[in-house]
Coordinates of all heavy atoms in Angstrom, one line a residue:
I1 N -2.2 -2.3 3.4 CA -2.1 -3.0 2.0 C -2.5 -2.1 0.9 O -3.7 -1.7 0.9 CB -3.0 -4.3 2.1 CG1 -2.6 -5.2 3.2 CG2 -2.9 -5.1 0.7 CD1 -3.6 -6.4 3.5
G2 N -1.6 -1.6 0.2 CA -2.0 -0.8 -1.0 C -1.2 0.4 -1.0 O -1.2 1.2 0.1
G3 N -0.5 0.8 -2.1 CA 0.3 2.0 -2.1 C -0.3 3.1 -3.0 O 0.4 3.9 -3.6
G4 N -1.6 3.2 -3.0 CA -2.3 4.4 -3.7 C -2.3 5.5 -2.7 O -1.8 5.5 -1.5
I5 N -3.1 6.5 -3.1 CA -3.2 7.7 -2.2 C -3.8 7.5 -0.8 O -3.4 8.0 0.2 CB -3.9 8.9 -2.9 CG1 -3.8 10.2 -2.1 CG2 -5.4 8.6 -3.1 CD1 -4.2 11.5 -2.8
I6 N -4.8 6.5 -0.8 CA -5.4 6.2 0.5 C -4.4 5.5 1.5 O -4.2 6.0 2.6 CB -6.7 5.3 0.3 CG1 -7.6 5.9 -0.8 CG2 -7.3 5.2 1.7 CD1 -8.1 7.4 -0.5
G7 N -3.7 4.6 1.0 CA -2.8 3.8 1.8 C -1.7 4.8 2.2 O -1.1 4.8 3.4
V8 N -1.2 5.6 1.2 CA 0.0 6.4 1.5 C -0.4 7.5 2.5 O 0.4 7.8 3.5 CB 0.5 7.0 0.3 CG1 1.6 8.2 0.5 CG2 1.2 6.0 -0.5
T9 N -1.5 8.2 2.4 CA -1.9 9.2 3.3 C -2.2 8.7 4.7 O -1.9 9.3 5.8 CB -3.1 10.1 2.8 OG1 -4.1 9.2 2.5 CG2 -2.7 10.9 1.7
A10 N -2.8 7.5 4.8 CA -3.0 6.8 6.1 C -1.6 6.5 6.7 O -1.4 6.7 7.9 CB -3.7 5.4 5.9
A11 N -0.6 6.0 6.0 CA 0.7 5.8 6.5 C 1.3 7.1 7.0 O 1.9 7.1 8.0 CB 1.6 5.2 5.5
L12 N 1.1 8.2 6.2 CA 1.7 9.5 6.6 C 1.1 9.9 8.0 O 1.8 10.4 8.9 CB 1.4 10.5 5.6 CG 1.7 11.9 5.8 CD1 3.3 12.1 6.1 CD2 1.3 12.9 4.8
E13 N -0.2 9.8 8.0 CA -0.9 10.2 9.3 C -0.5 9.4 10.5 O -0.2 9.8 11.6 CB -2.4 10.1 9.2 CG -3.1 11.1 8.3 CD -3.3 12.4 9.1 OE1 -3.2 12.3 10.3 OE2 -3.6 13.4 8.4
L14 N -0.5 8.1 10.3 CA 0.0 7.2 11.4 C 1.5 7.5 11.9 O 1.7 7.5 13.1 CB -0.2 5.7 11.0 CG -1.6 5.2 11.0 CD1 -1.7 4.0 10.2 CD2 -2.3 5.1 12.3
A15 N 2.3 7.6 10.9 CA 3.7 7.9 11.2 C 3.8 9.2 12.0 O 4.7 9.3 12.9 CB 4.5 8.0 9.9
E16 N 3.0 10.2 11.6 CA 3.0 11.5 12.3 C 2.5 11.4 13.7 O 3.0 12.1 14.6 CB 2.2 12.5 11.6 CG 2.8 13.0 10.3 CD 1.8 14.0 9.6 OE1 0.6 13.9 9.7 OE2 2.3 14.9 8.8
R17 N 1.8 10.4 14.0 CA 1.3 10.2 15.4 C 2.2 9.2 16.2 O 1.8 8.9 17.3 CB -0.1 9.6 15.3 CG -1.1 10.6 14.5 CD -2.5 10.1 14.5 NE -3.3 10.7 13.5 CZ -4.6 10.7 13.4 NH1 -5.3 10.0 14.3 NH2 -5.3 11.3 12.4
G18 N 3.2 8.8 15.6 CA 4.2 7.9 16.4 C 3.8 6.4 16.3 O 4.2 5.7 17.1
V19 N 2.8 6.1 15.4 CA 2.5 4.6 15.3 C 3.4 4.0 14.3 O 3.7 4.5 13.1 CB 1.0 4.5 14.8 CG1 0.7 3.0 14.6 CG2 0.0 5.1 15.8
S20 N 4.0 2.8 14.6 CA 4.9 2.2 13.7 C 4.0 1.5 12.6 O 3.1 0.8 12.9 CB 5.7 1.1 14.4 OG 4.9 0.0 14.9
V21 N 4.4 1.7 11.4 CA 3.5 1.3 10.3 C 4.4 0.8 9.1 O 5.4 1.3 8.8 CB 2.6 2.4 9.8 CG1 3.4 3.7 9.4 CG2 1.6 2.0 8.6
C22 N 3.9 -0.2 8.4 CA 4.5 -0.7 7.2 C 3.4 -0.8 6.1 O 2.5 -1.4 6.3 CB 5.2 -2.1 7.4 SG 5.9 -2.9 5.9
L23 N 3.7 -0.1 5.0 CA 2.9 -0.2 3.9 C 3.5 -1.1 2.9 O 4.7 -1.0 2.4 CB 2.8 1.2 3.2 CG 1.9 1.4 2.0 CD1 1.3 2.9 2.0 CD2 2.5 1.0 0.7
C24 N 2.7 -2.1 2.4 CA 3.1 -3.1 1.4 C 2.4 -2.8 0.0 O 1.1 -2.8 0.0 CB 2.9 -4.5 1.8 SG 3.8 -5.0 3.3
E25 N 3.0 -2.6 -1.0 CA 2.5 -2.4 -2.3 C 3.0 -3.6 -3.3 O 4.2 -3.7 -3.3 CB 2.9 -1.0 -2.8 CG 2.7 -0.8 -4.3 CD 1.3 -1.1 -4.8 OE1 0.4 -0.7 -4.1 OE2 1.2 -1.7 -5.9
K26 N 2.1 -4.2 -4.0 CA 2.5 -5.2 -4.8 C 3.3 -4.8 -6.1 O 4.0 -5.5 -6.6 CB 1.4 -6.0 -5.3 CG 0.3 -5.2 -6.1 CD -0.9 -6.0 -6.6 CE -1.9 -5.2 -7.3 NZ -1.4 -4.6 -8.6
G27 N 3.1 -3.5 -6.5 CA 3.8 -3.0 -7.6 C 4.6 -1.7 -7.2 O 5.6 -1.8 -6.5
V28 N 4.2 -0.5 -7.8 CA 4.9 0.6 -7.5 C 4.0 1.6 -6.9 O 2.7 1.6 -7.0 CB 5.5 1.3 -8.7 CG1 6.5 0.4 -9.4 CG2 4.5 1.7 -9.7
I29 N 4.5 2.5 -6.0 CA 3.6 3.6 -5.4 C 2.8 4.4 -6.5 O 3.4 4.9 -7.5 CB 4.4 4.5 -4.6 CG1 5.0 3.7 -3.4 CG2 3.6 5.6 -4.1 CD1 4.1 3.1 -2.4
A30 N 1.5 4.5 -6.4 CA 0.6 5.1 -7.2 C 0.6 4.7 -8.7 O 0.3 5.4 -9.5 CB 0.9 6.6 -7.2
G31 N 0.9 3.4 -8.8 CA 1.0 2.9 -10.2 C -0.4 2.7 -10.9 O -0.4 2.7 -12.1
E32 N -1.4 2.6 -10.0 CA -2.7 2.4 -10.7 C -3.6 3.7 -10.6 O -3.1 4.7 -11.1 CB -3.4 1.2 -10.0 CG -2.6 -0.1 -10.2 CD -3.2 -1.4 -9.7 OE1 -3.9 -1.4 -8.8 OE2 -2.9 -2.4 -10.3
Q33 N -4.8 3.7 -10.2 CA -5.6 4.7 -10.4 C -5.2 6.1 -9.8 O -5.5 7.2 -10.2 CB -7.1 4.5 -9.9 CG -8.1 5.5 -10.1 CD -8.3 5.9 -11.5 OE1 -7.9 5.2 -12.4 NE2 -8.9 7.0 -11.7
S34 N -4.3 6.0 -8.7 CA -3.9 7.2 -8.0 C -3.0 8.1 -8.9 O -2.8 9.3 -8.6 CB -3.2 6.8 -6.7 OG -4.1 6.4 -5.7
S35 N -2.4 7.6 -9.9 CA -1.6 8.4 -10.9 C -2.4 8.7 -12.1 O -1.9 9.4 -13.0 CB -0.3 7.8 -11.2 OG -0.4 6.6 -11.8
R36 N -3.6 8.1 -12.3 CA -4.2 8.1 -13.6 C -5.5 8.9 -13.6 O -6.2 9.1 -14.6 CB -4.7 6.6 -14.0 CG -3.4 5.8 -14.2 CD -3.8 4.2 -14.1 NE -2.5 3.5 -14.1 CZ -2.0 2.9 -15.2 NH1 -2.7 3.1 -16.4 NH2 -0.9 2.2 -15.2
N37 N -5.9 9.5 -12.6 CA -7.1 10.3 -12.4 C -6.9 11.7 -13.0 O -5.8 12.0 -13.4 CB -7.6 10.3 -10.9 CG -6.4 11.0 -10.1 OD1 -6.4 12.2 -10.0 ND2 -5.6 10.2 -9.5
W38 N -8.0 12.5 -13.0 CA -7.9 13.8 -13.5 C -7.1 14.8 -12.8 O -6.8 15.8 -13.3 CB -9.3 14.3 -13.7 CG -10.2 13.5 -14.6 CD1 -9.9 12.4 -15.3 CD2 -11.6 13.7 -14.9 NE1 -10.9 11.9 -16.0 CE2 -12.1 12.7 -15.7 CE3 -12.5 14.6 -14.4 CZ2 -13.4 12.6 -16.2 CZ3 -13.9 14.6 -14.8 CH2 -14.2 13.5 -15.7
G39 N -6.8 14.6 -11.4 CA -6.1 15.6 -10.7 C -6.9 16.6 -10.1 O -6.4 17.6 -9.7
W40 N -8.2 16.5 -10.0 CA -9.1 17.4 -9.4 C -9.2 17.2 -8.0 O -9.2 16.0 -7.5 CB -10.5 17.3 -10.0 CG -10.7 17.6 -11.4 CD1 -9.8 17.5 -12.4 CD2 -12.0 18.0 -12.0 NE1 -10.3 17.8 -13.7 CE2 -11.7 18.1 -13.5 CE3 -13.3 18.3 -11.5 CZ2 -12.7 18.6 -14.3 CZ3 -14.2 18.7 -12.5 CH2 -13.9 18.9 -13.9
T41 N -9.2 18.2 -7.2 CA -9.5 18.1 -5.7 C -10.7 18.9 -5.4 O -10.6 20.2 -5.1 CB -8.3 18.6 -4.9 OG1 -8.0 19.9 -5.1 CG2 -7.0 17.7 -5.3
R42 N -11.8 18.3 -5.6 CA -13.1 19.0 -5.6 C -14.0 18.7 -4.3 O -14.0 17.5 -3.9 CB -13.8 19.0 -6.9 CG -14.4 17.6 -7.1 CD -15.3 17.5 -8.4 NE -15.6 16.2 -8.7 CZ -16.8 15.6 -8.4 NH1 -17.6 16.2 -7.6 NH2 -17.1 14.4 -8.7

């Protein structure tokens, strides 16, 4: 539940491991804080 960076990277990891997964996002992918942050990876 949730299409921000946490939900998306979890889906990526699970799919890579062969686990069937469905991500449901109420709006658009990264529409909220995941696209609005400073962009630092510290």
